[in-house]
Amino acid sequence: MVHTYKSNGYNIVLDVNSGAVHCVDEVAYDIIDMLAAGVDRNKITVDILKKYKHLPEVTNAEIEDVFQDIEELKNQGKLFSEDIYASMSHEFKERQSVIKAICLHVAHDCNLACKYCFAEEGEYQQGHRGLMSYEVGKKALDFLIENSGTRKNLEVDFFGGEPLMNWEVVKKLVAYGREQEKIHNKNFRFTLTTNGILLDDEVIEFANKEMANVVLSLDGRKEVNDKLRVARNGKGHMMLFCLNS
């Protein structure tokens, strides 16, 4: 199983089962794509020659070299590798397991419109924007407790979208969790994943007190960050901030 995509001028091939990542040229990218789709090798050669007929360097010999490179990567277990866990999947299904952590998607919305966002700028595949209610969050924490077995330490990550857009609910859920951990002999480890735009003194103070971890998303230097991480108006928005430990 492979996943192909283009980013910042690179042709990237991810071999899902092995985790190997390859940066390849256009011809190799197209050939791997077609192989993954089950296209016959002879047809691939014909299609590639037709598509790149304007490039004299793309010949039968060149295409054959690409096939050989792909075959070598396959032999190394770095491309089209076998799913070694497939035969054991039924065993995992039969195991009696407990839940130790949940990711609470408290905000189906975001105040940024990052170009690469997996959540489609907060809409998650053209879904409806919205915020999780306190009641739904409570049920999620109750579910975690009920299915945690004898585990004492439980983890909850407030996620989105941008969770700080639903800050009041986040605070109420943390308070509810603290009440429940005394009743059920549990210990909640709360974390917050945020782009930092809505950080203020109140949030920082609360996070220092209640959050075991705060994940801040940045894309490096200002020129890199502002190129990809943009506000709704399309402009970059570099944030500089510091959380006290």
Side-chain angles (χ1 to χ4, degrees):
M1 180 179 178
V2 297
H3 175 61
T4 57
Y5 62 100
K6 297 174 181 285
S7 178
N8 291 328
Y10 292 98
N11 302 313
I12 302 173
V13 177
L14 168 63
D15 185 64
V16 176
N17 293 327
S18 70
V21 180
H22 311 281
C23 290
V24 300
D25 62 22
E26 289 288 341
V27 173
Y29 185 85
D30 288 343
I31 290 176
I32 292 171
D33 239 357
M34 286 188 277
L35 284 173
V39 179
D40 175 79
R41 182 165 168 163
N42 290 331
K43 179 170 175 25
I44 290 175
T45 300
V46 172
D47 289 347
I48 291 296
L49 287 173
K50 182 178 180 180
K51 179 176 181 179
Y52 294 96
K53 61 183 179 182
H54 61 289
L55 299 177
E57 63 271 22
V58 180
T59 62
N60 279 283
E62 172 67 20
I63 295 172
E64 183 59 32
D65 286 343
V66 174
F67 279 126
Q68 290 180 8
D69 290 342
I70 291 173
E71 196 62 33
E72 183 177 345
L73 288 172
K74 287 174 65 176
N75 293 335
Q76 294 173 1
K78 297 178 180 178
L79 190 61
F80 296 108
S81 59
E82 180 185 358
D83 183 358
I84 62 175
Y85 297 105
S87 61
M88 297 183 284
S89 60
H90 67 282
E91 297 179 14
F92 290 104
K93 292 180 180 179
E94 294 171 359
R95 290 181 183 178
Q96 184 174 4
S97 59
V98 298
I99 300 175
K100 68 173 184 177
I102 58 174
C103 179
L104 275 187
H105 183 192
V106 294
H108 199 85
D109 199 355
C110 189
N111 49 1
L112 290 182
C114 302
K115 298 178 181 179
Y116 58 78
C117 183
F118 72 94
E120 300 290 330
E121 301 179 2
E123 292 189 4
Y124 289 81
Q125 301 298 327
Q126 306 303 316
H128 296 291
R129 298 183 185 279
L131 303 177
M132 178 181 287
S133 69
Y134 173 58
E135 291 302 320
V136 170
K138 279 179 60 178
K139 291 179 180 178
L141 295 185
D142 291 339
F143 175 83
L144 176 59
I145 293 171
E146 292 169 7
N147 292 276
S148 62
T150 59
R151 288 192 65 94
K152 180 173 182 178
N153 295 314
L154 306 178
E155 300 179 12
V156 177
D157 181 28
F158 295 107
F159 196 73
E162 173 50 51
L164 292 185
M165 295 180 71
N166 200 10
W167 180 235
E168 291 304 316
V169 167
V170 170
K171 290 191 296 182
K172 290 175 66 176
L173 289 176
V174 170
Y176 179 72
R178 295 303 181 211
E179 294 174 359
Q180 296 304 304
E181 62 185 4
K182 297 182 179 66
I183 298 172
H184 299 281
N185 191 30
K186 302 291 182 180
N187 177 52
F188 277 106
R189 183 178 185 272
F190 292 107
T191 64
L192 179 70
T193 300
T194 175
N195 59 35
I197 302 298
L198 298 177
L199 283 175
D200 57 21
D201 289 342
E202 179 200 351
V203 175
I204 292 174
E205 182 179 357
F206 187 89
N208 285 331
K209 178 182 177 182
E210 297 288 1
M211 299 294 169
N213 191 31
V214 176
V215 180
L216 298 170
S217 54
L218 284 174
D219 280 338
R221 300 182 302 277
K222 177 176 174 56
E223 58 269 23
V224 176
N225 183 87
D226 287 356
K227 179 181 179 182
L228 300 172
R229 296 174 62 80
V230 296
R232 294 289 170 183
N233 60 8
K235 296 182 179 180
H237 199 351
M238 168 63 87
M239 288 291 295
L240 297 177
F241 38 70
C242 178
L243 289 182
N244 298 322
S245 59

